[in-house]
Structure formats: C-alpha cells, structure tokens
Amino acid sequence: MTANNPQTDTTVSSRYNFDQPVDRSHTDSAKWRHYQLEGERQGREILPMWVADMDFVSPPEVLDALQHRVAHGVFGYGKIPESMTEAFCHWYAEHHNWQIDPKWIVWLPGLVSGLHAVGRAFGEAGSAIMTHTPVYPPFLKVAVRNHKQLQAIPMKEGERWSLDLEAMRAEVKDNTRLFMLCNPQNPTGRVFSEQELKALADFCIEQDLVICSDEIHCDLVLDKTYRHIPLASLSDEIAARTVTLLAPSKTFNIAGLACSAAVIPDAKLRSHFKRSIEGMMPGVNLLGFVAAEAAYRDGAEWREELLHYLKANRDMIVQWAAGKDQVALNQPEATYLAWLDLRATGQENPAQWLLKETGVALSEGADFGLPGFARLNFGCRRELLERVLKRLDTVLK
Ligand SMILES: Cc1ncc(COP(=O)(O)O)c(C=O)c1O
C-alpha cells in the first residue's frame, strides 16, 4: 500500500495528537460496542468503520469547559446562554460568511429529530417530499413516517456526484412541498458549488418548495479548493424558504451530547415549525450547550489540525482504491466518509460480505438507497485505517 507516512502527515499537529490510541471497545460507544459484542460471539475482532462518529478525543478546550460545568454540580432545567448563541453566530459568520440573526435559531436535541420535524411541519398528509440518493438513511424515512410520499431522485454518477435537475424537473408533482438537501453530502462527500446550489434554489423557487438543508458536515471540507456555501446565504429569497440544520457534533466529535439547531430566517416558517414541534421535542441538555459553546469559541485550531489529519486519511483511501479493480471511489471533498463503489465485486451486499470475510464493518449502500456500495468512516487513527485496508486487501482485487 502506498500509504502516506503518518509521521510526515502529522508534523503540522503541534498541539493535538490524533494518533493517540483511545480504547472505545468496552465503553458506551454505539459504533464500537455493537461489534465488540458481535466479535465476542464470533470469537474474532471486528473493526467498526460504520456509524459517523470519530474515534478522536474532543478538543481539550471542550473537555475543560465540561469539567468546569460538572464541578458546579447542579443540573436543573437549562436556559440557552447568550454566550452560546454569540459563539454559534460568530462561527458561521467567520467560517462561512453567513450572518445568522439569533432570533432565527431553534435549538434542537439532534438533527435526525430535526429532519423528521421538518418533514412533519411542511406539507399536508399525502404530499410529496423530494430528495437525492444516495443519502443519509434517515432522509429516506422522513416521508413515510410523516404520512407523505418519498420522491428519491438518484444523483448523477461521474467524476463528481451531482444533482440530476432534469430528473427532478421530470418527477416533481403538483403536491411536492419539500426538498431535502444534504450538503456537504453524506455519503458521497460532495461539496456542492455555488452554481449547483443556485440551480437547485431556482428549481425550488420555481416549484414553490420549502428546502431543508442539512449542513451538519459543513465544517469538514477537506480541500482548500472547495468552500461550503450555506444555501440560505445565497439570497434573501432563498433564505425565506430554507430551514438549515446545523450542529457542532460531527466536527468536534460531540454527537453524544446532542446539541443542534434549525436556522429559519423566515418568521412565518419559523413559527409554524416551532408550533409543530411544541411539546414533542426535549430541550438541549446542559452539557451539550457547554460543549458546543467551547467548541465554537475555542475549537478553530483543533479543527484545522483535524482537517489536516482527515485529509491524509482520505488521500490514503483514494490511493488504495485507485490500485483496485473492484473498488471505485470519487474523492470525498468533505466529511470523513468514503463512498466505495463495490459493484465490480459482483456481491449483492458487499458490506455484509466484507464483514463476513474480513471482520471490517462498513455501512450498507442499500440503506442509503444505492445497493452495491458501502460507506467507510475514516475518522479514526491512521494505524487503524491501515489495518482495515490491509484486511480488505485480502479479498478485494
Ligand atoms: C447528514 C447528517 N444529518 C444528521 C446526522 C445526525 O445528526 P444527530 O446525531 O444530531 O441526530 C448525521 C449523522 O451522521 C448526518 O450525517
């Protein structure tokens, strides 16, 4: 394997050590525990590269803030601190050139809940929700769980995955009410360009659709050549029909602390959304706010180094895939997820096959709406990634 040298790649990491081993196997980690138990049953070690959290310790600034808060010892009902809102708005202004007005924010305990809440709030029963595939599996469940119809439009394959606007125009119906976008895109890692986003926005304006833009991966753009553009920052007209879902959870590895937000600039849309979740949605837990505030206020340097590390992991996988006839991979531009095209293996369910043959657990393509593929989470120590690729080498040609 022509791997990047970990020593060389991490020299930029002067403050934070992403190579530091962390044993999550006997902890409460969903990613590790599931396959720890399965591995014990099978009498072998399974390497979990599936659910999207990273194996890295969160920024020390976040840990310090949490420890300070825990030491206080009182955990009654919380009220969102103004300093948290300030840190959140400042982060998006500084990193994404988007001025968020604090009154646009609706805090949520998670973005999967956010996706479902949007699906519930907008469009009458029986109306249609359009999205693109492959996509993060909960997107495909929102319509049916809210008594609506799903219109899943396959993206165009090619050197870069792209939205198929022609197919979207052909499929859109009189009762389509909502378009659900994932940008940066999970699982393909695409960062949609300004031109692509404008074309999508034009389509949504023309069809009078509300847009739910899940931008949870926006801080994980791996190359300086790409830039995340918040859809709602394109124009007031687009902002007025957009619900943007955001969270620090992927970037700073604090998903278990459940703090996220829907940003809804339009007052009518926002109050409708708020009414529809009233009494259904718990508040964000106190520690989630503490972690999020510290991450947004003090985590920029940690994130820079994280991106550097992830990029080297990404390059390693891309090089590895380039040397295989049975694996195709479009270079992920963002996220720590590699969307592996394994159709050349001839396996109906490549993830299941690889689990059985190699003990590497990937996410199944069919769950994202595209069988024959599998998603590999490379948000881990390079040493583990090397072990994973070596195992995959034993069966993939
Ligand atoms: C696109 C996308 N949205 C939402 C989520 C989950 O968000 P939460 O953990 O806040 O429910 C994920 C997690 O992988 C994701 O990739």
Side-chain angles (χ1 to χ4, degrees):
M1 184 167 40
T2 49
N4 294 312
N5 180 340
Q7 299 308 320
T8 320
D9 283 324
T10 49
T11 46
V12 173
S13 293
S14 51
R15 283 192 63 193
Y16 309 108
N17 179 10
F18 295 96
D19 287 317
Q20 180 192 330
V22 182
D23 183 5
R24 302 180 74 198
S25 59
H26 290 87
T27 68
D28 49 14
S29 152
K31 178 181 176 187
W32 281 83
R33 189 68 186 145
H34 178 77
Y35 285 108
Q36 169 76 28
L37 296 172
E38 186 58 31
E40 277 166 16
R41 265 194 291 278
Q42 295 182 16
R44 63 174 182 159
E45 181 200 40
I46 295 175
L47 302 178
M49 311 299 282
W50 60 302
V51 72
D53 71 24
M54 303 187 287
D55 289 338
F56 308 127
V57 173
S58 292
E61 294 79 359
V62 169
L63 304 185
D64 286 349
L66 285 169
Q67 270 152 6
H68 184 73
R69 180 62 187 86
V70 169
H72 182 256
V74 183
F75 306 106
Y77 292 114
K79 180 164 167 49
I80 294 124
E82 275 148 38
S83 50
M84 159 66 196
T85 307
E86 263 167 42
F88 178 86
C89 294
H90 185 259
W91 178 274
Y92 286 97
E94 183 163 309
H95 294 273
H96 302 294
N97 202 19
W98 185 26
Q99 302 292 335
I100 296 175
D101 182 330
K103 69 171 180 288
W104 298 348
I105 305 169
V106 183
W107 295 107
L108 298 170
L111 279 201
V112 172
S113 327
L115 291 167
H116 282 86
V118 174
R120 179 186 154 91
F122 301 108
E124 67 284 6
S127 64
I129 299 176
M130 183 176 275
T131 191
H132 47 338
T133 54
V135 75
Y136 178 55
F139 275 61
L140 302 175
K141 297 183 179 146
V142 165
V144 67
R145 289 197 180 142
N146 289 288
H147 314 290
K148 292 176 183 168
Q149 303 164 42
L150 172 67
Q151 296 187 283
I153 312 296
M155 288 202 285
K156 287 198 276 196
E157 294 184 34
E159 267 178 42
R160 297 171 82 195
W161 292 86
S162 58
L163 297 173
D164 190 344
L165 275 151
E166 259 175 50
M168 284 156 55
R169 281 208 165 80
E171 296 287 326
V172 71
K173 300 194 288 193
D174 287 348
N175 72 343
T176 307
R177 300 279 179 260
L178 179 67
F179 186 87
M180 296 180 72
L181 173 72
C182 186
N183 180 43
Q185 221 269 344
N186 173 3
T188 64
R190 260 312 308 280
V191 178
F192 293 117
S193 67
E194 182 168 352
Q195 201 185 3
E196 290 173 294
L197 293 174
K198 280 191 169 147
L200 170 71
D202 286 347
F203 165 77
C204 293
I205 291 168
E206 165 195 309
Q207 300 297 332
D208 194 20
L209 308 183
V210 171
I211 311 167
C212 174
S213 186
D214 180 338
E215 302 183 12
I216 195 171
H217 293 281
C218 67
D219 293 312
L220 293 170
V221 178
L222 300 172
D223 300 289
K224 299 274 182 231
T225 36
Y226 302 112
R227 190 168 71 84
H228 172 74
I229 301 170
L231 187 76
S233 72
L234 286 176
S235 74
D236 289 347
E237 192 184 11
I238 298 164
R241 57 176 67 245
T242 303
V243 176
T244 306
L245 300 177
L246 296 169
S249 49
K250 299 286 153 197
T251 317
F252 299 101
N253 213 27
I254 49 177
L257 292 173
C259 173
S260 25
V263 178
I264 314 177
D266 184 77
K268 265 203 193 143
L269 229 55
R270 189 169 63 247
S271 72
H272 179 69
F273 178 77
K274 278 183 169 171
R275 266 200 315 278
S276 83
I277 61 172
E278 220 169 66
M280 304 274 295
M281 195 75 85
V284 172
N285 102 33
L286 285 173
L287 297 181
F289 278 133
V290 171
E293 178 176 338
Y296 284 129
R297 200 186 46 227
D298 302 321
E301 199 181 323
W302 185 91
R303 182 191 72 131
E304 274 305 311
E305 294 188 13
L306 167 76
L307 291 179
H308 181 78
Y309 193 90
L310 290 177
K311 187 170 182 299
N313 279 4
R314 189 272 316 265
D315 291 346
M316 179 188 284
I317 296 173
V318 168
Q319 279 182 33
W320 170 83
K324 300 255 171 247
D325 290 337
Q326 290 184 321
V327 186
L329 171 64
N330 287 352
Q331 174 156 297
E333 298 158 0
T335 76
Y336 44 82
L337 308 166
W339 183 237
L340 303 175
D341 178 352
L342 299 168
R343 288 173 294 190
T345 61
Q347 294 292 328
E348 204 174 307
N349 186 332
Q352 248 175 44
W353 172 67
L354 289 172
L355 176 61
K356 183 163 163 281
E357 296 295 323
T358 68
V360 172
L362 306 177
S363 301
E364 290 182 15
D367 293 342
F368 296 75
L370 193 48
F373 285 71
R375 194 191 72 177
L376 186 155
N377 172 350
F378 58 83
C380 65
R381 278 182 302 125
R382 196 151 306 130
E383 179 269 333
L384 175 61
L385 183 58
E386 280 170 348
R387 285 173 62 208
V388 163
L389 298 183
K390 277 201 186 108
R391 282 199 191 185
L392 297 179
D393 276 340
T394 59
V395 292
L396 290 172
K397 296 189 221 58

